[in-house]
Amino acid sequence: MKRVVPLISMATLALYPCVFLYFQNVSECSFLDVMLCGLVLLLIGGLGSLLLFAVMRSFDKAVLTSNIFMLLFANFVLIQDLITKFFVRTYYWHVLIFLAFVVLTVGALIKNLLTAENAYMANGIVGVTFGVLILINGIFAVPYIVAKLNMERSKEQLNISTEEREHLPNIYFMVFDEYGGTENLKHYCGYDNTGFYSDLRKLGFNVSEASENEAYYTGVVMTNLLNLDYVGEYSGDTSTTDWTTLGKLRENPVLFQILLRAGYKLNMVDADNFLDASNADFRFTGVSASNELSEEYIIFSKTALYPLFQKSGDEDLDILNDMFAYIQQAPSLQKENLWTMAYFSTPHDPWFVNADGTPLNGADRSNWENPNIYLGQLKYLNKKIIEAAESIIRQDPNCIIVLQSDHGWRPGTILKDKYPDLEKEAGYMRNILNAVYYQNTTVDIEGLSGINTLRTVLNTLLGLDLPALDPSEYKGH
């Protein structure tokens, strides 16, 4: 029984980062994936304790030393950043050797100067501290869990009647994060995107170059777009906006429910795990090369294992190309009743490709000062979009393709000295990509927002009567 306390201290300390992540992002995280990460941390701590026990011959002292090691291990990047402030030419292996020396020194002091009873008490303090932190986070997560359940109940009461049907045309809905509309690109880049829109029109697309969305933050716009209504609120400040609730609202959203009830099967294409794929029948299985939304990345990217999670721009480019290749193969999955939902986290930064398809210099991955960096990736994206659209229409001419972005390029939020009037810039930043191919027929989407465009498509497709929303009614500007 005496070993229970040190074991609890080891478990609470190792699992705390994972539990914290899960409770803070209940709707965004997979419990299984988070716990698997926790198991890895627990195994590292356990292995360290066993090795130290072989030297110290005291379980309490070995676990205490291992706990100190785990604290340093989990905060490795923070420590490295602190050291490099004073010693600029410090690298990963320097810090690794230094921390190994610290652990060995502290371990020697614990072994020779600390009694087993005091080590036992210290482990108890560690266990209580991290146990209380886990409990507090769990308590604070309860309202979000309750809100999630309430949202599910409200969604079940949707007053939108659809019945399952056969022989519905395939739908390909692609969203490109931060793809600027016509006025956005002219204003910030001095670039005329007419050639791209001309190519789309030649393929039979209906194009609206004047479309704007209600906000210019992905979490807000995508939540509203997928629920076909202004359900996501933006407080006016990113630090006080309830991003957790917005994430929960994207779970099984209204758009998903309507199409699934109508008899569609979901084909999810999302390398960043941003959208809810729980109802997907088919799924793009590529792993995001810069997946800063994955549980593994968030948990391990600050630890001593961070080099394993660093990816290059070349890998980002591979993932983008693989996504487009997968989408072009989608018509072969089903000839009808297939709904492909694709979210591309590009041309949002970090940028990784030039207009000609060559990898971008790493130093420019977050270069907002030079609009040509963003523009180069957008031009490459234009080529890939046209290639994909041509391929899909050739294989599936009776389909529906919706191309949209959540918002335009946003230097107005970054280069504040150059663009001091955020209210003036807002209209440009809300200007989006918006184009619809509807079986090579005309659909009037001119000037419509993303939500109203989707409502128009659904009304035409399923015979619904969803009225257009008035953007001025959105309270989150």
Side-chain angles (χ1 to χ4, degrees):
M1 289 296 293
K2 194 169 184 286
R3 293 190 173 182
V4 171
V5 170
L7 286 173
I8 290 175
S9 74
M10 182 171 59
T12 54
L13 189 152
L15 294 175
Y16 173 71
C18 306
V19 174
F20 175 82
L21 174 66
Y22 181 74
F23 282 143
Q24 292 294 314
N25 303 274
V26 175
S27 69
E28 307 283 342
C29 293
S30 161
F31 180 78
L32 178 60
D33 288 345
V34 168
M35 288 302 102
L36 285 175
C37 294
L39 180 60
V40 171
L41 293 175
L42 195 55
L43 287 173
I44 293 172
L47 181 61
S49 296
L50 290 176
L51 292 174
L52 289 165
F53 176 70
V55 176
M56 294 182 162
R57 311 309 301 172
S58 167
F59 190 68
D60 294 298
K61 293 181 180 182
V63 171
L64 180 59
T65 306
S66 177
N67 284 341
I68 293 171
F69 161 73
M70 288 302 295
L71 281 172
L72 297 175
F73 174 89
N75 294 282
F76 186 93
V77 171
L78 180 64
I79 297 169
Q80 180 174 319
D81 290 344
L82 184 62
I83 292 175
T84 52
K85 285 184 178 180
F86 300 96
F87 305 97
V88 178
R89 300 183 69 82
T90 301
Y91 299 100
Y92 174 82
W93 291 108
H94 300 151
V95 180
L96 197 65
I97 293 170
F98 171 72
L99 292 184
F101 173 77
V102 170
V103 171
L104 291 174
T105 302
V106 172
L109 293 173
I110 290 174
K111 180 179 184 296
N112 297 313
L113 301 179
L114 200 65
T115 65
E117 289 73 18
N118 286 337
Y120 178 85
M121 291 178 62
N123 283 323
I125 292 172
V126 172
V128 169
T129 300
F130 283 94
V132 169
L133 288 173
I134 289 173
L135 180 63
I136 290 173
N137 277 276
I139 292 172
F140 278 112
V142 168
Y144 295 110
I145 296 172
V146 172
K148 174 182 174 181
L149 295 174
N150 289 335
M151 280 185 278
E152 289 300 322
R153 282 195 289 269
S154 67
K155 286 177 180 179
E156 290 173 0
Q157 299 171 359
L158 284 174
N159 190 26
I160 300 175
S161 176
T162 57
E163 56 184 31
E164 188 168 336
R165 311 177 191 186
E166 296 180 352
H167 311 304
L168 287 169
N170 288 342
I171 302 173
Y172 305 86
F173 181 25
M174 299 178 236
V175 180
F176 301 91
D177 199 329
E178 202 144 340
Y179 189 111
T182 296
E183 294 304 316
N184 175 277
L185 296 180
K186 287 181 179 179
H187 178 65
Y188 290 119
C189 304
Y191 180 70
D192 185 351
N193 207 19
T194 301
F196 172 66
Y197 289 122
S198 177
D199 289 340
L200 287 178
R201 289 187 173 98
K202 289 176 183 177
L203 291 172
F205 276 85
N206 304 274
V207 175
S208 170
E209 299 185 44
S211 290
E212 290 185 10
N213 275 335
E214 67 282 358
Y216 47 82
Y217 285 103
T218 302
V220 177
V221 174
M222 289 300 295
T223 301
N224 293 339
L225 190 64
L226 296 176
N227 284 284
L228 302 173
D229 205 346
Y230 299 137
V231 298
E233 296 184 4
Y234 173 60
S235 68
D237 186 341
T238 55
S239 64
T240 58
T241 295
D242 190 350
W243 301 106
T244 300
T245 296
L246 289 171
K248 290 177 173 61
L249 285 166
R250 291 194 298 274
E251 292 183 2
N252 193 25
V254 172
L255 175 63
F256 286 31
Q257 294 183 54
I258 290 176
L259 292 175
L260 291 173
R261 287 180 188 176
Y264 276 96
K265 287 189 175 181
L266 171 58
N267 176 30
M268 181 64 75
V269 187
D270 176 14
D272 294 288
N273 299 319
F274 179 66
L275 304 180
D276 180 11
S278 59
N279 291 314
D281 295 280
F282 308 97
R283 188 174 183 182
F284 173 72
T285 55
V287 179
S288 174
S290 59
N291 187 7
E292 298 183 2
L293 297 177
S294 73
E295 293 85 351
E296 296 86 354
Y297 179 91
I298 295 171
I299 292 171
F300 292 119
S301 64
K302 302 300 180 184
T303 73
L305 298 179
Y306 81 85
L308 300 177
F309 294 85
Q310 288 184 325
K311 304 293 182 179
S312 70
D314 293 19
E315 293 172 85
D316 284 316
L317 180 55
D318 289 342
I319 285 290
L320 178 63
N321 290 335
D322 287 347
M323 289 175 71
F324 274 110
Y326 177 84
I327 287 175
Q328 291 182 54
Q329 296 168 4
S332 64
L333 295 175
Q334 282 188 190
K335 297 302 180 184
E336 55 192 11
N337 286 65
L338 178 70
W339 160 43
T340 296
M341 176 75 230
Y343 168 74
F344 293 81
S345 57
T346 183
H348 192 291
D349 74 315
W351 301 294
F352 50 84
V353 64
N354 295 303
D356 61 0
T358 57
L360 183 69
N361 186 320
D364 287 324
R365 282 171 65 83
S366 293
N367 183 352
W368 287 82
E369 297 286 348
N370 183 357
N372 289 322
I373 303 301
Y374 164 82
L375 202 55
Q377 185 143 315
L378 181 135
K379 290 178 180 179
Y380 180 74
L381 201 57
N382 284 352
K383 298 175 187 175
K384 301 302 292 185
I385 292 172
I386 295 299
E387 287 176 6
E390 287 176 340
S391 177
I392 292 170
I393 293 171
R394 183 171 60 252
Q395 299 174 73
D396 191 5
N398 195 46
C399 72
I400 298 169
I401 304 174
V402 180
L403 305 174
Q404 290 188 356
S405 60
D406 48 355
H407 52 76
W409 195 36
R410 299 171 298 173
T413 63
I414 305 295
L415 307 178
K416 296 181 180 180
D417 290 339
K418 186 174 182 180
Y419 304 104
D421 190 345
L422 189 60
E423 185 175 348
K424 177 183 176 182
E425 302 304 317
Y428 292 110
M429 294 189 292
R430 294 199 303 264
N431 183 216
I432 61 168
L433 164 69
N434 191 20
V436 174
Y437 173 90
Y438 197 107
Q439 302 173 332
N440 203 27
T441 62
T442 300
V443 177
D444 185 9
I445 62 167
E446 181 57 39
L448 296 185
S449 65
I451 291 176
N452 284 335
T453 297
L454 288 182
R455 284 179 165 236
T456 298
V457 170
L458 291 173
N459 287 344
T460 306
L461 174 66
L462 301 176
L464 304 180
D465 189 23
L466 302 173
L469 300 182
D470 183 354
S472 66
E473 295 179 359
Y474 177 63
K475 299 178 181 179
H477 285 301

